[in-house]
């Protein structure tokens, strides 16, 4: 049973670092079904197989929990970014824009043309 704990822990750690989610849930679900079927088929090792099923059910639940937590965190952190293009905080221009080729958030400014926040360098630039 220790082997299954190590496998499920390694899968969960991999899923958390990489951020996919499908691998851990898929393997966890399949292994849980196989272990439950084995528990039904064998009376001598039923407890062992049920324990393995619980381990992989926990892998599925943990992976789903991380996916949902990441989803909620991304939505929460995106709120200011979504609100920014509609904010209209400048006197000259009433909107922000976004350049996807080189991730920049920009707005028009007097005497400078455009002022942009450059995400890769974490700095403000003008087109002067």
């Amino acid at each position: 049973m220790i082997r299954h704990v190590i496998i499920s822990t390694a899968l969960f750690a991999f899923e958390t670092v990489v951020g996919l989610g499908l691998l851990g849930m898929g393997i966890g679900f399949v292994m849980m079904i196989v272990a439950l079927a084995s528990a039904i088929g064998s009376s001598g090792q039923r407890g062992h197989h049920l324990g393995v099923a619980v381990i992989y059910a926990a892998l599925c639940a943990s992976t789903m929990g991380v996916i949902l937590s990441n989803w909620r965190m991304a939505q929460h952190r995106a709120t200011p970014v979504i609100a920014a293009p509609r904010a209209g905080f400048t006197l000259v221009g009433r909107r922000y824009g976004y350049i996807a080729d080189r991730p920049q958030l920009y707005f028009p400014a007097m005497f400078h043309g455009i002022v942009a926040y450059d995400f890769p360098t974490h700095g403000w630039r003008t087109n002067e």
Side-chain angles (χ1 to χ4, degrees), residues 39-128:
I40 291 170
S42 71
S43 61
Q45 293 198 359
R46 184 169 289 153
H48 172 76
H49 292 301
L50 287 175
V52 170
V54 167
I55 290 168
Y56 287 107
L59 172 63
C60 288
S62 300
T63 303
M64 180 61 96
V66 169
I67 290 170
L68 291 175
S69 294
N70 283 337
W71 188 345
R72 280 190 220 112
M73 183 184 297
Q75 287 177 329
H76 175 72
R77 289 183 176 173
T79 302
V81 176
I82 293 167
R86 292 180 267 142
F89 284 121
T90 65
L91 297 174
V92 176
R94 301 305 291 164
R95 65 179 179 85
Y96 290 96
Y98 181 74
I99 301 170
D101 294 339
R102 177 165 176 97
Q104 294 182 343
L105 185 66
Y106 68 91
F107 62 90
M110 255 193 238
F111 308 118
H112 297 288
I114 291 178
V115 177
Y117 180 78
D118 188 57
F119 287 98
T121 62
H122 303 289
W124 288 96
R125 312 174 89 147
T126 64
N127 65 342
E128 293 182 318

Side-chain angles (χ1 to χ4, degrees), residues 23-47:
L23 185 65
M25 286 188 58
I27 291 174
F29 184 75
V30 168
M31 292 300 292
M32 179 182 66
I33 297 299
V34 168
L36 286 174
S38 297
I40 291 170
S42 71
S43 61
Q45 293 198 359
R46 184 169 289 153

